[in-house]
Amino acid sequence: MNKFLAGLVLCLAIFFGVSHSDNAQAATYTLKVKSTASVLNIREKPSTKSKVVGKLKKNQTVAMRYVDYGTGFYEVIYKGKKAYVSMDYAVEVKPNERWIGSYFNQGYSGTGVSTELYVYKKTSNYIYFVSRTGYRYDPTGGDLAGYQMPWKYSNYYGKAKLISSTNASFSSKSCKATLKSVGKTIRVYEKSKIDSCDFTGFGMYDGYYAYQK
């Protein structure tokens, strides 16, 4: 019994020790209050009319996930929950880390589709990202020209396991892909069946496609 308990304690120590070490080395995309503002309201939803759930003061930061240019709000992580702050009063703080940043796929320009990739956190073992896919749609049923149509977005939240300083492996459901950091781009190579990664928002071309910072 004593040997069992000793073994259990050792396993737990190893598990939590690795977890703690991984988080201790984390680099995170954050936001701070703009110099022209004194405080930054953190809201429940992406609207100035939404409930204020917290406030960010000078010299404080909050973890960012992505920015929605349509609403003018950042999605952030506040007290472990999803929340939002206005772009008008926030400034991005990017750590000196090659993976972290906002990336855009220029290959879809002019198609009525947009794909964005936000890598908002990197630990010693994983990168964490939000893949955003946008589509233009016509709520009138045919009265709007393409440039007049509003955008509708869907988000996929994922993580990829680092296999080197420049390569990460992603696997979820039927999708298997490799993310490769090359200069100011992230290239995504689909390793599984064609179109098996569609649910992630990785709108693949033949071979690979690149997100540009």
Side-chain angles (χ1 to χ4, degrees), residues 133-162:
T133 305
Y135 301 90
R136 283 194 182 275
Y137 71 101
D138 187 352
T140 67
D143 294 335
L144 298 180
Y147 70 92
Q148 297 174 315
M149 296 180 186
W151 288 91
K152 184 176 183 179
Y153 285 89
S154 61
N155 299 331
Y156 177 82
Y157 300 82
K159 67 178 182 179
K161 184 174 179 59
L162 288 164

Side-chain angles (χ1 to χ4, degrees), residues 106-171:
Q106 304 299 326
Y108 285 91
S109 297
T111 65
V113 178
S114 73
T115 61
E116 305 165 8
L117 188 68
Y118 295 87
V119 180
Y120 63 88
K121 181 179 178 180
K122 175 188 172 291
T123 66
S124 58
N125 295 316
Y126 292 94
I127 57 169
Y128 296 79
F129 63 87
V130 181
S131 173
R132 281 173 55 79
T133 305
Y135 301 90
R136 283 194 182 275
Y137 71 101
D138 187 352
T140 67
D143 294 335
L144 298 180
Y147 70 92
Q148 297 174 315
M149 296 180 186
W151 288 91
K152 184 176 183 179
Y153 285 89
S154 61
N155 299 331
Y156 177 82
Y157 300 82
K159 67 178 182 179
K161 184 174 179 59
L162 288 164
I163 53 180
S164 73
S165 62
T166 58
N167 290 273
S169 177
F170 173 78
S171 179

Side-chain angles (χ1 to χ4, degrees), residues 165-185:
S165 62
T166 58
N167 290 273
S169 177
F170 173 78
S171 179
S172 178
K173 298 179 181 178
S174 59
C175 174
K176 294 183 185 300
T178 297
L179 284 70
K180 186 177 181 65
S181 175
V182 182
K184 293 185 177 181
T185 70

Side-chain angles (χ1 to χ4, degrees), residues 24-173:
Q25 299 178 46
T28 308
Y29 210 156
T30 60
L31 300 173
K32 66 178 182 179
V33 183
K34 188 175 285 188
S35 60
T36 54
S38 58
V39 68
L40 179 62
N41 288 326
I42 301 173
R43 299 184 181 275
E44 188 175 40
K45 296 180 180 180
S47 168
T48 54
K49 297 179 180 179
S50 179
K51 177 182 177 181
V52 175
V53 296
K55 292 181 181 290
L56 198 67
K57 299 179 181 179
K58 292 285 189 180
N59 301 320
Q60 292 181 325
T61 60
V62 64
M64 167 196 158
R65 274 184 170 161
Y66 69 84
V67 58
D68 187 329
Y69 293 98
T71 64
F73 276 80
Y74 290 99
E75 183 180 292
V76 301
I77 306 169
Y78 180 67
K79 293 185 176 180
K81 296 182 179 180
K82 184 189 302 184
Y84 301 87
V85 299
S86 172
M87 291 176 62
D88 293 336
Y89 306 103
V91 176
E92 297 179 14
V93 182
K94 301 177 183 178
N96 186 22
E97 210 299 309
R98 67 178 302 144
W99 284 95
I100 292 180
S102 306
Y103 299 83
F104 303 90
N105 190 337
Q106 304 299 326
Y108 285 91
S109 297
T111 65
V113 178
S114 73
T115 61
E116 305 165 8
L117 188 68
Y118 295 87
V119 180
Y120 63 88
K121 181 179 178 180
K122 175 188 172 291
T123 66
S124 58
N125 295 316
Y126 292 94
I127 57 169
Y128 296 79
F129 63 87
V130 181
S131 173
R132 281 173 55 79
T133 305
Y135 301 90
R136 283 194 182 275
Y137 71 101
D138 187 352
T140 67
D143 294 335
L144 298 180
Y147 70 92
Q148 297 174 315
M149 296 180 186
W151 288 91
K152 184 176 183 179
Y153 285 89
S154 61
N155 299 331
Y156 177 82
Y157 300 82
K159 67 178 182 179
K161 184 174 179 59
L162 288 164
I163 53 180
S164 73
S165 62
T166 58
N167 290 273
S169 177
F170 173 78
S171 179
S172 178
K173 298 179 181 178

